[in-house]
Amino acid sequence: MPSASPSWIVCKFGGTSVSSRDRWDTIGTVGRAHQADGRHPFLVCSALQGISDQLEALLEAAAQGGDPQEALATIRERHEALAHAMDLDSTAVLSEGFDRLDRLTNEVVAADPIPPRLRAAVLATGELLSTRLGAAYLSGQGLDVRWLDAREFLRAQDAPHVPPRRQYLSAACTSHPDPVLQDHLAQAPDAVYLTQGFIASNALNETVLLGRGGSDTSAAHFAAKLEAERLEVWTDVPGLFTANPREVPSARLLRRLDYDEAQELATMGARVLHPRCLDPVRRHQIPLHVRSTEAPEVDGTVVSADGPDVGPQVKAVSAKTGVVAVVM
């Protein structure tokens, strides 16, 4: 059994960060930079931007007795267009994933109602397709990339008393060092590993999901399993701000936060981080860095146990919309 390696860097890339060739070039640059510094990059990637919504539309059309083919065609076209932009053979890279989605769509049309197990399998397709594209592209750019099925190593907790919909669509996983995963990755220590966010498996080896936005949580679990040096969440903004910069142009970038402060912001509406991703890194004292693929030169926000204890006591203002309050 290998000793724990402190040099793993887990990097999560969201939908906007995996949806164009330019963004994948940035991902490759990030991976090479970590390798040059003697670290081992482990990449966790989301579905292409908007694809999870299209998969939801496919399911909704089938549930209403409609034709899911329009959503299916849109999903296929988006991935084929990106493959073309990457100079990849879309048939060679994506045919297996498309065939699987076609089979699942036929099952969805025949099901009444659509069981949560089948919903989870359909919604997982986005991450599986995007990571196949990314692995093929980065390999063609000279990186030794190993595609990893997240479901082989990320297992959902057994929750027999939880409703099936939650078991399959908003599962919870445990976070602890994983010698089996570390040993598996040690077989190719110079490789860049690329896997999926959002998806895991249960005790029956069925696909389950960690809830919408769950790629952050997947990455945090993998960081704990690898006893990583840090977790990097790469998104379309360079960090957490004192307010939503899209609504408050004068909002300032927060350079450092402690885990509790970041948890409060994520829970109360800051969409940069998923609320469930903080607990695994806090428990194992793994620093979390929020970075932007649009501005990779910006250091962004660092969330750790030693956030600043000086400065303004009110760090930021966040808000949730569409919330109903019931006063008893």
Side-chain angles (χ1 to χ4, degrees):
M1 184 182 300
S3 60
S5 170
S7 60
W8 283 104
I9 302 291
V10 177
C11 305
K12 178 263 179 179
F13 296 92
T16 57
S17 299
V18 300
S19 294
S20 70
R21 178 172 180 157
D22 288 346
R23 293 291 179 265
W24 278 104
D25 286 336
T26 299
I27 293 172
T29 299
V30 170
R32 289 187 184 90
H34 284 316
Q35 286 184 318
D37 289 338
R39 303 185 182 103
H40 304 304
F42 186 92
L43 313 180
V44 179
C45 297
S46 299
L48 305 188
Q49 185 179 23
I51 290 299
S52 293
D53 291 336
Q54 287 297 323
L55 290 166
E56 292 274 16
L58 183 157
L59 290 165
E60 184 62 23
Q64 299 298 324
D67 187 357
Q69 292 303 315
E70 182 178 350
L72 194 61
T74 299
I75 293 165
R76 184 183 292 269
E77 289 166 5
R78 281 285 311 283
H79 289 89
E80 289 177 342
L82 181 55
H84 178 73
M86 290 172 155
D87 297 321
L88 295 174
D89 181 345
S90 63
T91 300
V93 178
L94 298 171
S95 60
E96 181 180 343
F98 285 154
D99 289 345
R100 179 177 180 275
L101 182 56
D102 287 339
R103 292 194 300 271
L104 289 170
T105 301
N106 291 334
E107 290 184 46
V108 164
V109 171
D112 184 23
I114 303 170
R117 171 194 59 79
L118 189 52
R119 285 184 176 274
V122 170
L123 291 171
T125 305
E127 278 69 18
L128 295 169
L129 289 171
S130 71
T131 53
R132 285 296 189 188
L133 276 176
Y137 179 68
L138 294 178
S139 294
Q141 301 301 304
L143 280 172
D144 180 8
V145 176
R146 307 296 174 94
W147 186 89
L148 194 76
D149 191 331
R151 296 168 296 184
E152 293 184 11
F153 296 99
L154 206 56
R155 296 286 185 178
Q157 291 176 296
D158 188 27
H161 302 298
V162 172
R165 183 176 182 86
R166 185 174 168 189
Q167 288 184 39
Y168 285 96
L169 303 180
S170 188
C173 299
T174 57
S175 294
H176 52 76
D178 187 344
V180 174
L181 175 60
Q182 294 178 22
D183 185 54
H184 179 81
L185 301 190
Q187 296 174 24
D190 296 327
V192 174
Y193 285 91
L194 192 156
T195 193
Q196 310 78 39
F198 184 50
I199 68 175
S201 62
N202 61 15
L204 300 176
N205 284 324
E206 299 170 317
T207 298
V208 300
L209 309 178
L210 304 188
R212 286 298 294 264
S215 291
D216 289 357
T217 309
S218 297
H221 286 309
F222 277 119
K225 285 175 173 290
L226 294 173
E227 300 174 89
E229 181 179 325
R230 71 173 178 259
L231 166 63
E232 296 180 349
V233 173
W234 290 80
T235 181
D236 57 350
V237 294
L240 290 157
F241 284 77
T242 53
N244 186 341
R246 294 183 176 92
E247 298 178 4
V248 184
S250 61
R252 292 178 290 105
L253 178 64
L254 294 164
R255 296 293 183 178
R256 300 192 70 86
L257 291 170
D258 64 34
Y259 295 116
D260 291 339
E261 291 169 333
Q263 183 73 67
E264 287 293 330
L265 290 176
T267 302
M268 296 307 297
R271 299 176 62 185
V272 176
L273 292 175
H274 193 283
R276 289 167 66 177
C277 82
L278 273 304
D279 185 61
V281 292
R282 172 171 44 199
R283 188 180 311 131
H284 297 280
Q285 297 294 288
I286 299 170
L288 187 158
H289 295 229
V290 182
R291 307 286 298 277
S292 172
T293 46
E294 295 183 8
E297 70 282 356
V298 178
D299 288 338
T301 301
V302 178
V303 179
S304 67
D306 51 350
D309 55 5
V310 296
Q313 294 305 301
V314 177
K315 296 292 178 67
V317 176
S318 62
K320 278 188 173 182
T321 59
V323 176
V324 176
V326 178
V327 179
M328 301 294 290

